[in-house]
Amino acid sequence: MLNLSDNKKKMLAIVAAALAGVALPGVASAACTPGAYGTGPDDFVVLGTPATAPATGQRYLFRSGLRGSTGDAGAPVTCADDIAVYRAPDGQVKRWPRLATRETKTSFDSDATRLTGELIEPAGPADPKRPLVVLVHGSERTMAAAAIYGHMLAAQGISVFAYNKRGTGTSEGEYTQNFELLADDAAAALREARRMAAGRFGRAGYFGGSQGGWVAPLAATRSPADFVAVGFGLVVSPIEEDREQLLDEAREKHLDAVAIAQVERLSRATAQLVRSHFATGYEALAQVRREIGNAPWAKTIAGEYSGDMLRMTDADLRRIGRARFDNLELIWDYDAEAALRKLKVPLLWVLAGEDREAPIAATQAILSKLHAAGQPIDAYLFPDTDHGIVEFRTNADGSRTATRITDGYLKLLADWIKGDVRGSYGRVEKLYR
């Protein structure tokens, strides 16, 4: 969710590409136009851009969360000439055309910066009751995830506005993780979406995934919004996120009390470094290094940034630490709870039960406190899922490989935005009654 190490960036880029159908270098062109194919809001599949080698064909994503590549052996869907052929589990073969949408590109200003975006609306007569949602970026530098979510939501009867984050795609400016500035951009995006869809929507608000969970609620305090939806986000600061990840890893490694105390001191030392923008904290971290010594767990513990800092030499950290870890204007002590307390509109928060990237314990406790105080919060938890609400398999080395978005999540998200939550949504647990 933050400015990650190179290896972690590569891993997350691969996962994001698999989920979103992102085209990476060295792949063939798509056979069909990216978008939703089917017969309506219950029977459709979203096709993305080309799959990455060694896979062939195009990435696909069903509302159930099933995903893969059309070129895979035994794939349930293939596509040519903008006709998707779906082979249902019962053997029935369906030919699905591309669902018509109205797609309008635009550009708009935010804090003297020109940003670009696109409004995706379901085709057909104007519906003044249709919800309109602005997709707020996570930490990614492309619109790919927004594109797949956009078509997934549009196929379920929602108008969607997706925009290029500043410093990415065709938007001007410098890429940043400054939540205050990003919230200004999201607020400007909602104003532009309202202008473009005037007379063709009812309630309007935000959906933010991952880092967007910090930005979307703040944006809703800066522009009129009717709702905010968040998936796999946090209500703690980036510093606390790193600490929670470290402690989760320590528990998974079954570290003893002495080692856990060392992990806590590591967190405090690196927090001092980032809070001071690498002006102070080097001596404290050097002391922690000496205490930990050659402990086996020190070679693999990660957090968001503390593990990398632990394994750097003091000289290297002093020389390049700020350039590596503190180069994106991140607000390290950002008070996410304060932004939520200001919200008066309905809030949806969806948690991944086994989220390693955004551990949920502190977030869940804060949401529960705010709900008990009377804020209109709907919170749901999907068990046995990791960041992105994805199911996974655990590898021999303890790492995880994402397999699919869990069943129920994509439908729940759309139904909640439409104000029509009913029926079952996979294995979801509703946290408040």
Tab-separated table of all heavy atoms in Angstrom, residues 56-113:
chain	number	residue	atom	x	y	z
A	56	THR	N	-1.640	-17.291	-22.718
A	56	THR	CA	-2.043	-16.715	-23.993
A	56	THR	C	-3.505	-16.271	-23.914
A	56	THR	O	-4.226	-16.626	-22.984
A	56	THR	CB	-1.881	-17.734	-25.127
A	56	THR	OG1	-2.667	-18.899	-24.833
A	56	THR	CG2	-0.427	-18.144	-25.293
A	57	GLY	N	-3.939	-15.525	-24.904
A	57	GLY	CA	-5.311	-15.054	-24.919
A	57	GLY	C	-5.492	-13.814	-24.072
A	57	GLY	O	-4.547	-13.046	-23.847
A	58	GLN	N	-6.714	-13.610	-23.589
A	58	GLN	CA	-7.045	-12.448	-22.766
A	58	GLN	C	-7.431	-12.897	-21.373
A	58	GLN	O	-8.001	-13.964	-21.176
A	58	GLN	CB	-8.240	-11.688	-23.369
A	58	GLN	CG	-7.928	-10.947	-24.646
A	58	GLN	CD	-9.193	-10.346	-25.229
A	58	GLN	OE1	-9.767	-10.884	-26.153
A	58	GLN	NE2	-9.616	-9.210	-24.685
A	59	ARG	N	-7.143	-12.040	-20.403
A	59	ARG	CA	-7.607	-12.305	-19.051
A	59	ARG	C	-9.117	-12.151	-18.994
A	59	ARG	O	-9.691	-11.305	-19.664
A	59	ARG	CB	-6.955	-11.332	-18.068
A	59	ARG	CG	-5.456	-11.522	-17.911
A	59	ARG	CD	-5.141	-12.790	-17.161
A	59	ARG	NE	-3.710	-12.991	-17.005
A	59	ARG	CZ	-3.174	-14.053	-16.421
A	59	ARG	NH1	-3.962	-15.008	-15.949
A	59	ARG	NH2	-1.870	-14.170	-16.313
A	60	TYR	N	-9.741	-12.974	-18.171
A	60	TYR	CA	-11.185	-12.848	-17.972
A	60	TYR	C	-11.487	-12.838	-16.479
A	60	TYR	O	-10.716	-13.335	-15.660
A	60	TYR	CB	-11.948	-13.996	-18.647
A	60	TYR	CG	-11.661	-15.374	-18.089
A	60	TYR	CD1	-12.275	-15.837	-16.918
A	60	TYR	CD2	-10.760	-16.239	-18.731
A	60	TYR	CE1	-12.008	-17.093	-16.409
A	60	TYR	CE2	-10.486	-17.500	-18.223
A	60	TYR	CZ	-11.113	-17.923	-17.062
A	60	TYR	OH	-10.842	-19.176	-16.553
A	61	LEU	N	-12.629	-12.238	-16.135
A	61	LEU	CA	-13.082	-12.187	-14.752
A	61	LEU	C	-14.600	-12.270	-14.732
A	61	LEU	O	-15.276	-11.440	-15.349
A	61	LEU	CB	-12.627	-10.885	-14.076
A	61	LEU	CG	-13.127	-10.648	-12.647
A	61	LEU	CD1	-12.572	-11.696	-11.692
A	61	LEU	CD2	-12.754	-9.240	-12.162
A	62	PHE	N	-15.136	-13.282	-14.046
A	62	PHE	CA	-16.567	-13.414	-13.844
A	62	PHE	C	-16.958	-12.710	-12.544
A	62	PHE	O	-16.130	-12.518	-11.655
A	62	PHE	CB	-16.972	-14.889	-13.761
A	62	PHE	CG	-16.939	-15.599	-15.081
A	62	PHE	CD1	-15.779	-16.212	-15.532
A	62	PHE	CD2	-18.077	-15.676	-15.882
A	62	PHE	CE1	-15.741	-16.872	-16.749
A	62	PHE	CE2	-18.051	-16.339	-17.097
A	62	PHE	CZ	-16.876	-16.940	-17.544
A	63	ARG	N	-18.247	-12.367	-12.415
A	63	ARG	CA	-18.714	-11.729	-11.194
A	63	ARG	C	-18.502	-12.638	-9.984
A	63	ARG	O	-18.347	-12.168	-8.852
A	63	ARG	CB	-20.189	-11.346	-11.313
A	63	ARG	CG	-20.681	-10.508	-10.143
A	63	ARG	CD	-22.109	-10.043	-10.327
A	63	ARG	NE	-23.051	-11.167	-10.348
A	63	ARG	CZ	-24.363	-11.013	-10.355
A	63	ARG	NH1	-24.896	-9.801	-10.362
A	63	ARG	NH2	-25.161	-12.056	-10.383
A	64	SER	N	-18.459	-13.937	-10.199
A	64	SER	CA	-18.203	-14.882	-9.113
A	64	SER	C	-16.778	-14.798	-8.588
A	64	SER	O	-16.447	-15.374	-7.552
A	64	SER	CB	-18.467	-16.307	-9.591
A	64	SER	OG	-17.511	-16.680	-10.577
A	65	GLY	N	-15.915	-14.076	-9.310
A	65	GLY	CA	-14.508	-13.976	-8.926
A	65	GLY	C	-13.619	-14.949	-9.663
A	65	GLY	O	-12.392	-14.862	-9.566
A	66	LEU	N	-14.200	-15.887	-10.399
A	66	LEU	CA	-13.400	-16.819	-11.198
A	66	LEU	C	-12.649	-16.044	-12.264
A	66	LEU	O	-13.218	-15.196	-12.948
A	66	LEU	CB	-14.316	-17.855	-11.849
A	66	LEU	CG	-13.631	-18.924	-12.705
A	66	LEU	CD1	-12.787	-19.835	-11.842
A	66	LEU	CD2	-14.675	-19.720	-13.486
A	67	ARG	N	-11.385	-16.333	-12.414
A	67	ARG	CA	-10.576	-15.597	-13.375
A	67	ARG	C	-9.545	-16.503	-14.008
A	67	ARG	O	-9.284	-17.612	-13.539
A	67	ARG	CB	-9.883	-14.425	-12.687
A	67	ARG	CG	-8.889	-14.863	-11.612
A	67	ARG	CD	-8.169	-13.662	-11.029
A	67	ARG	NE	-7.234	-14.047	-9.986
A	67	ARG	CZ	-6.009	-14.531	-10.199
A	67	ARG	NH1	-5.582	-14.693	-11.427
A	67	ARG	NH2	-5.225	-14.857	-9.191
A	68	GLY	N	-8.960	-16.024	-15.084
A	68	GLY	CA	-7.936	-16.783	-15.780
A	68	GLY	C	-7.674	-16.155	-17.128
A	68	GLY	O	-7.918	-14.969	-17.339
A	69	SER	N	-7.190	-16.972	-18.059
A	69	SER	CA	-6.901	-16.503	-19.406
A	69	SER	C	-7.696	-17.323	-20.411
A	69	SER	O	-7.848	-18.543	-20.259
A	69	SER	CB	-5.406	-16.640	-19.698
A	69	SER	OG	-5.154	-16.413	-21.080
A	70	THR	N	-8.201	-16.654	-21.441
A	70	THR	CA	-8.967	-17.366	-22.473
A	70	THR	C	-8.117	-18.387	-23.205
A	70	THR	O	-8.657	-19.296	-23.828
A	70	THR	CB	-9.557	-16.374	-23.496
A	70	THR	OG1	-8.489	-15.633	-24.116
A	70	THR	CG2	-10.519	-15.407	-22.817
A	71	GLY	N	-6.799	-18.263	-23.135
A	71	GLY	CA	-5.919	-19.220	-23.796
A	71	GLY	C	-5.569	-20.431	-22.956
A	71	GLY	O	-4.909	-21.356	-23.430
A	72	ASP	N	-6.009	-20.472	-21.695
A	72	ASP	CA	-5.725	-21.615	-20.832
A	72	ASP	C	-6.447	-22.861	-21.326
A	72	ASP	O	-7.577	-22.782	-21.831
A	72	ASP	CB	-6.172	-21.332	-19.393
A	72	ASP	CG	-5.352	-20.241	-18.728
A	72	ASP	OD1	-4.252	-19.938	-19.223
A	72	ASP	OD2	-5.832	-19.693	-17.707
A	73	ALA	N	-5.827	-24.005	-21.154
A	73	ALA	CA	-6.496	-25.258	-21.489
A	73	ALA	C	-7.726	-25.423	-20.610
A	73	ALA	O	-7.658	-25.283	-19.393
A	73	ALA	CB	-5.537	-26.434	-21.278
A	74	GLY	N	-8.850	-25.688	-21.250
A	74	GLY	CA	-10.083	-25.873	-20.488
A	74	GLY	C	-10.720	-24.593	-19.999
A	74	GLY	O	-11.636	-24.635	-19.167
A	75	ALA	N	-10.261	-23.437	-20.509
A	75	ALA	CA	-10.859	-22.168	-20.080
A	75	ALA	C	-12.349	-22.169	-20.408
A	75	ALA	O	-12.753	-22.588	-21.493
A	75	ALA	CB	-10.170	-20.999	-20.778
A	76	PRO	N	-13.206	-21.677	-19.495
A	76	PRO	CA	-14.644	-21.691	-19.748
A	76	PRO	C	-15.093	-20.640	-20.742
A	76	PRO	O	-16.247	-20.647	-21.177
A	76	PRO	CB	-15.247	-21.425	-18.367
A	76	PRO	CG	-14.200	-20.619	-17.665
A	76	PRO	CD	-12.882	-21.158	-18.154
A	77	VAL	N	-14.209	-19.719	-21.110
A	77	VAL	CA	-14.604	-18.662	-22.038
A	77	VAL	C	-13.492	-18.402	-23.039
A	77	VAL	O	-12.307	-18.432	-22.690
A	77	VAL	CB	-14.959	-17.362	-21.266
A	77	VAL	CG1	-13.766	-16.827	-20.482
A	77	VAL	CG2	-15.494	-16.290	-22.208
A	78	THR	N	-13.876	-18.215	-24.293
A	78	THR	CA	-12.970	-17.768	-25.340
A	78	THR	C	-13.646	-16.606	-26.050
A	78	THR	O	-14.839	-16.357	-25.866
A	78	THR	CB	-12.670	-18.887	-26.346
A	78	THR	OG1	-13.918	-19.363	-26.903
A	78	THR	CG2	-11.935	-20.045	-25.679
A	79	CYS	N	-12.889	-15.881	-26.859
A	79	CYS	CA	-13.481	-14.714	-27.504
A	79	CYS	C	-12.811	-14.459	-28.844
A	79	CYS	O	-11.584	-14.590	-28.976
A	79	CYS	CB	-13.357	-13.477	-26.617
A	79	CYS	SG	-14.383	-12.084	-27.172
A	80	ALA	N	-13.615	-14.121	-29.839
A	80	ALA	CA	-13.133	-13.721	-31.160
A	80	ALA	C	-14.178	-12.842	-31.804
A	80	ALA	O	-15.392	-13.059	-31.643
A	80	ALA	CB	-12.856	-14.944	-32.029
A	81	ASP	N	-13.714	-11.812	-32.511
A	81	ASP	CA	-14.621	-10.906	-33.225
A	81	ASP	C	-15.688	-10.323	-32.306
A	81	ASP	O	-16.863	-10.178	-32.686
A	81	ASP	CB	-15.269	-11.623	-34.410
A	81	ASP	CG	-14.241	-12.118	-35.417
A	81	ASP	OD1	-13.247	-11.398	-35.639
A	81	ASP	OD2	-14.413	-13.225	-35.953
A	82	ASP	N	-15.292	-10.008	-31.091
A	82	ASP	CA	-16.189	-9.408	-30.094
A	82	ASP	C	-17.408	-10.270	-29.783
A	82	ASP	O	-18.482	-9.753	-29.441
A	82	ASP	CB	-16.617	-8.004	-30.518
A	82	ASP	CG	-15.542	-6.961	-30.195
A	82	ASP	OD1	-14.486	-7.347	-29.644
A	82	ASP	OD2	-15.752	-5.769	-30.488
A	83	ILE	N	-17.236	-11.584	-29.851
A	83	ILE	CA	-18.238	-12.542	-29.378
A	83	ILE	C	-17.537	-13.494	-28.410
A	83	ILE	O	-16.585	-14.188	-28.779
A	83	ILE	CB	-18.883	-13.353	-30.515
A	83	ILE	CG1	-19.656	-12.421	-31.455
A	83	ILE	CG2	-19.799	-14.434	-29.939
A	83	ILE	CD1	-20.880	-11.784	-30.834
A	84	ALA	N	-17.989	-13.507	-27.158
A	84	ALA	CA	-17.417	-14.411	-26.152
A	84	ALA	C	-18.233	-15.703	-26.145
A	84	ALA	O	-19.469	-15.669	-26.129
A	84	ALA	CB	-17.442	-13.769	-24.782
A	85	VAL	N	-17.545	-16.821	-26.147
A	85	VAL	CA	-18.195	-18.131	-26.084
A	85	VAL	C	-17.954	-18.706	-24.694
A	85	VAL	O	-16.811	-18.955	-24.301
A	85	VAL	CB	-17.655	-19.086	-27.163
A	85	VAL	CG1	-18.317	-20.453	-27.047
A	85	VAL	CG2	-17.880	-18.502	-28.553
A	86	TYR	N	-19.043	-18.898	-23.957
A	86	TYR	CA	-18.970	-19.378	-22.577
A	86	TYR	C	-19.504	-20.791	-22.494
A	86	TYR	O	-20.614	-21.080	-22.930
A	86	TYR	CB	-19.784	-18.453	-21.664
A	86	TYR	CG	-19.978	-18.989	-20.261
A	86	TYR	CD1	-18.883	-19.382	-19.485
A	86	TYR	CD2	-21.250	-19.100	-19.712
A	86	TYR	CE1	-19.059	-19.874	-18.197
A	86	TYR	CE2	-21.436	-19.585	-18.423
A	86	TYR	CZ	-20.340	-19.970	-17.672
A	86	TYR	OH	-20.519	-20.462	-16.409
A	87	ARG	N	-18.702	-21.676	-21.928
A	87	ARG	CA	-19.098	-23.065	-21.711
A	87	ARG	C	-19.418	-23.238	-20.237
A	87	ARG	O	-18.527	-23.266	-19.401
A	87	ARG	CB	-17.991	-24.015	-22.165
A	87	ARG	CG	-17.744	-23.963	-23.664
A	87	ARG	CD	-16.454	-24.662	-24.070
A	87	ARG	NE	-16.262	-24.623	-25.516
A	87	ARG	CZ	-15.784	-23.562	-26.183
A	87	ARG	NH1	-15.442	-22.481	-25.516
A	87	ARG	NH2	-15.662	-23.606	-27.496
A	88	ALA	N	-20.713	-23.315	-19.946
A	88	ALA	CA	-21.184	-23.403	-18.564
A	88	ALA	C	-20.830	-24.757	-17.965
A	88	ALA	O	-20.593	-25.734	-18.696
A	88	ALA	CB	-22.686	-23.173	-18.517
A	89	PRO	N	-20.785	-24.858	-16.628
A	89	PRO	CA	-20.462	-26.139	-15.988
A	89	PRO	C	-21.392	-27.274	-16.408
A	89	PRO	O	-20.985	-28.436	-16.417
A	89	PRO	CB	-20.611	-25.826	-14.490
A	89	PRO	CG	-20.327	-24.359	-14.385
A	89	PRO	CD	-20.896	-23.767	-15.636
A	90	ASP	N	-22.643	-26.972	-16.784
A	90	ASP	CA	-23.571	-28.022	-17.201
A	90	ASP	C	-23.405	-28.410	-18.660
A	90	ASP	O	-24.179	-29.204	-19.193
A	90	ASP	CB	-25.022	-27.590	-16.943
A	90	ASP	CG	-25.426	-26.357	-17.749
A	90	ASP	OD1	-24.612	-25.866	-18.562
A	90	ASP	OD2	-26.564	-25.874	-17.558
A	91	GLY	N	-22.411	-27.817	-19.334
A	91	GLY	CA	-22.143	-28.157	-20.721
A	91	GLY	C	-22.810	-27.238	-21.727
A	91	GLY	O	-22.501	-27.291	-22.919
A	92	GLN	N	-23.710	-26.388	-21.268
A	92	GLN	CA	-24.396	-25.482	-22.172
A	92	GLN	C	-23.413	-24.446	-22.717
A	92	GLN	O	-22.569	-23.928	-21.992
A	92	GLN	CB	-25.540	-24.776	-21.443
A	92	GLN	CG	-26.380	-23.879	-22.328
A	92	GLN	CD	-27.512	-23.206	-21.554
A	92	GLN	OE1	-27.630	-23.375	-20.342
A	92	GLN	NE2	-28.345	-22.448	-22.246
A	93	VAL	N	-23.506	-24.169	-24.014
A	93	VAL	CA	-22.626	-23.204	-24.663
A	93	VAL	C	-23.418	-21.932	-24.965
A	93	VAL	O	-24.491	-21.991	-25.569
A	93	VAL	CB	-22.026	-23.775	-25.961
A	93	VAL	CG1	-21.173	-22.714	-26.667
A	93	VAL	CG2	-21.185	-25.002	-25.654
A	94	LYS	N	-22.902	-20.789	-24.514
A	94	LYS	CA	-23.571	-19.513	-24.735
A	94	LYS	C	-22.648	-18.582	-25.523
A	94	LYS	O	-21.451	-18.532	-25.281
A	94	LYS	CB	-23.928	-18.864	-23.393
A	94	LYS	CG	-24.826	-19.718	-22.514
A	94	LYS	CD	-25.131	-19.021	-21.189
A	94	LYS	CE	-26.009	-19.874	-20.295
A	94	LYS	NZ	-26.343	-19.197	-19.010
A	95	ARG	N	-23.243	-17.863	-26.465
A	95	ARG	CA	-22.503	-16.883	-27.256
A	95	ARG	C	-22.910	-15.488	-26.772
A	95	ARG	O	-24.086	-15.115	-26.885
A	95	ARG	CB	-22.792	-17.052	-28.738
A	95	ARG	CG	-22.234	-18.363	-29.298
A	95	ARG	CD	-22.693	-18.581	-30.742
A	95	ARG	NE	-22.258	-17.494	-31.621
A	95	ARG	CZ	-21.053	-17.407	-32.170
A	95	ARG	NH1	-20.147	-18.347	-31.915
A	95	ARG	NH2	-20.749	-16.404	-32.972
A	96	TRP	N	-21.947	-14.766	-26.217
A	96	TRP	CA	-22.243	-13.487	-25.588
A	96	TRP	C	-21.645	-12.336	-26.385
A	96	TRP	O	-20.428	-12.278	-26.596
A	96	TRP	CB	-21.671	-13.445	-24.181
A	96	TRP	CG	-22.436	-14.250	-23.178
A	96	TRP	CD1	-23.700	-14.730	-23.289
A	96	TRP	CD2	-21.973	-14.644	-21.876
A	96	TRP	NE1	-24.069	-15.391	-22.155
A	96	TRP	CE2	-23.017	-15.360	-21.261
A	96	TRP	CE3	-20.789	-14.468	-21.174
A	96	TRP	CZ2	-22.915	-15.898	-19.982
A	96	TRP	CZ3	-20.669	-14.997	-19.898
A	96	TRP	CH2	-21.722	-15.687	-19.312
A	97	PRO	N	-22.472	-11.371	-26.814
A	97	PRO	CA	-21.928	-10.164	-27.431
A	97	PRO	C	-21.387	-9.218	-26.367
A	97	PRO	O	-21.663	-9.369	-25.176
A	97	PRO	CB	-23.155	-9.557	-28.124
A	97	PRO	CG	-24.296	-9.972	-27.242
A	97	PRO	CD	-23.948	-11.354	-26.741
A	98	ARG	N	-20.650	-8.224	-26.807
A	98	ARG	CA	-20.151	-7.216	-25.868
A	98	ARG	C	-21.315	-6.345	-25.424
A	98	ARG	O	-22.098	-5.873	-26.243
A	98	ARG	CB	-19.073	-6.345	-26.520
A	98	ARG	CG	-18.389	-5.393	-25.547
A	98	ARG	CD	-17.206	-4.704	-26.222
A	98	ARG	NE	-16.480	-3.879	-25.269
A	98	ARG	CZ	-16.734	-2.600	-25.031
A	98	ARG	NH1	-17.711	-1.994	-25.685
A	98	ARG	NH2	-16.022	-1.907	-24.158
A	99	LEU	N	-21.446	-6.163	-24.112
A	99	LEU	CA	-22.505	-5.326	-23.575
A	99	LEU	C	-22.229	-3.866	-23.936
A	99	LEU	O	-21.130	-3.356	-23.689
A	99	LEU	CB	-22.605	-5.482	-22.055
A	99	LEU	CG	-23.047	-6.860	-21.548
A	99	LEU	CD1	-23.005	-6.900	-20.028
A	99	LEU	CD2	-24.454	-7.191	-22.047
A	100	ALA	N	-23.238	-3.218	-24.491
A	100	ALA	CA	-23.055	-1.841	-24.938
A	100	ALA	C	-22.887	-0.905	-23.752
A	100	ALA	O	-23.580	-1.022	-22.735
A	100	ALA	CB	-24.247	-1.404	-25.782
A	101	THR	N	-21.978	0.014	-23.883
A	101	THR	CA	-21.768	1.049	-22.874
A	101	THR	C	-21.547	2.385	-23.570
A	101	THR	O	-21.184	2.440	-24.749
A	101	THR	CB	-20.537	0.750	-21.986
A	101	THR	OG1	-19.398	0.503	-22.833
A	101	THR	CG2	-20.779	-0.447	-21.090
A	102	ARG	N	-21.776	3.427	-22.833
A	102	ARG	CA	-21.465	4.775	-23.311
A	102	ARG	C	-20.201	5.204	-22.604
A	102	ARG	O	-20.183	5.346	-21.375
A	102	ARG	CB	-22.622	5.710	-22.984
A	102	ARG	CG	-22.369	7.171	-23.329
A	102	ARG	CD	-23.587	8.015	-22.936
A	102	ARG	NE	-23.353	9.425	-23.159
A	102	ARG	CZ	-24.262	10.371	-22.940
A	102	ARG	NH1	-25.465	10.017	-22.476
A	102	ARG	NH2	-23.977	11.636	-23.161
A	103	GLU	N	-19.112	5.402	-23.330
A	103	GLU	CA	-17.811	5.713	-22.750
A	103	GLU	C	-17.356	7.078	-23.249
A	103	GLU	O	-17.197	7.278	-24.451
A	103	GLU	CB	-16.805	4.611	-23.082
A	103	GLU	CG	-17.247	3.253	-22.538
A	103	GLU	CD	-16.327	2.108	-22.910
A	103	GLU	OE1	-15.180	2.388	-23.327
A	103	GLU	OE2	-16.746	0.944	-22.781
A	104	THR	N	-17.142	7.998	-22.323
A	104	THR	CA	-16.817	9.381	-22.671
A	104	THR	C	-15.551	9.801	-21.953
A	104	THR	O	-15.496	9.796	-20.720
A	104	THR	CB	-17.972	10.322	-22.279
A	104	THR	OG1	-19.212	9.814	-22.782
A	104	THR	CG2	-17.723	11.713	-22.846
A	105	LYS	N	-14.541	10.178	-22.721
A	105	LYS	CA	-13.282	10.625	-22.134
A	105	LYS	C	-13.364	12.110	-21.802
A	105	LYS	O	-14.110	12.869	-22.424
A	105	LYS	CB	-12.118	10.341	-23.087
A	105	LYS	CG	-11.897	8.858	-23.347
A	105	LYS	CD	-10.671	8.635	-24.205
A	105	LYS	CE	-10.482	7.149	-24.529
A	105	LYS	NZ	-10.295	6.352	-23.316
A	106	THR	N	-12.549	12.530	-20.839
A	106	THR	CA	-12.572	13.925	-20.416
A	106	THR	C	-11.239	14.300	-19.792
A	106	THR	O	-10.380	13.449	-19.525
A	106	THR	CB	-13.711	14.166	-19.400
A	106	THR	OG1	-13.845	15.567	-19.147
A	106	THR	CG2	-13.424	13.463	-18.071
A	107	SER	N	-11.066	15.589	-19.546
A	107	SER	CA	-9.947	16.082	-18.737
A	107	SER	C	-10.495	17.167	-17.817
A	107	SER	O	-11.481	17.842	-18.143
A	107	SER	CB	-8.814	16.621	-19.612
A	107	SER	OG	-9.271	17.696	-20.416
A	108	PHE	N	-9.879	17.315	-16.655
A	108	PHE	CA	-10.353	18.266	-15.647
A	108	PHE	C	-9.181	18.702	-14.788
A	108	PHE	O	-8.120	18.059	-14.784
A	108	PHE	CB	-11.465	17.638	-14.791
A	108	PHE	CG	-11.053	16.384	-14.055
A	108	PHE	CD1	-10.693	16.427	-12.717
A	108	PHE	CD2	-11.024	15.155	-14.711
A	108	PHE	CE1	-10.309	15.275	-12.040
A	108	PHE	CE2	-10.642	13.998	-14.042
A	108	PHE	CZ	-10.287	14.052	-12.709
A	109	ASP	N	-9.372	19.803	-14.075
A	109	ASP	CA	-8.285	20.375	-13.278
A	109	ASP	C	-8.455	20.078	-11.800
A	109	ASP	O	-9.571	20.075	-11.267
A	109	ASP	CB	-8.235	21.894	-13.466
A	109	ASP	CG	-7.769	22.288	-14.855
A	109	ASP	OD1	-6.911	21.576	-15.407
A	109	ASP	OD2	-8.277	23.288	-15.396
A	110	SER	N	-7.327	19.837	-11.135
A	110	SER	CA	-7.286	19.696	-9.690
A	110	SER	C	-5.974	20.278	-9.194
A	110	SER	O	-4.894	19.834	-9.612
A	110	SER	CB	-7.390	18.227	-9.279
A	110	SER	OG	-7.227	18.080	-7.875
A	111	ASP	N	-6.063	21.289	-8.335
A	111	ASP	CA	-4.863	21.933	-7.791
A	111	ASP	C	-3.866	22.286	-8.899
A	111	ASP	O	-2.687	21.915	-8.843
A	111	ASP	CB	-4.203	21.040	-6.740
A	111	ASP	CG	-5.013	20.963	-5.462
A	111	ASP	OD1	-5.891	21.815	-5.258
A	111	ASP	OD2	-4.784	20.039	-4.666
A	112	ALA	N	-4.383	22.962	-9.929
A	112	ALA	CA	-3.570	23.457	-11.050
A	112	ALA	C	-2.910	22.344	-11.849
A	112	ALA	O	-1.887	22.553	-12.515
A	112	ALA	CB	-2.512	24.444	-10.550
A	113	THR	N	-3.484	21.143	-11.793
A	113	THR	CA	-2.951	20.002	-12.530
A	113	THR	C	-4.060	19.416	-13.403
A	113	THR	O	-5.185	19.219	-12.938
A	113	THR	CB	-2.423	18.921	-11.568
A	113	THR	OG1	-1.407	19.497	-10.741
A	113	THR	CG2	-1.842	17.745	-12.336
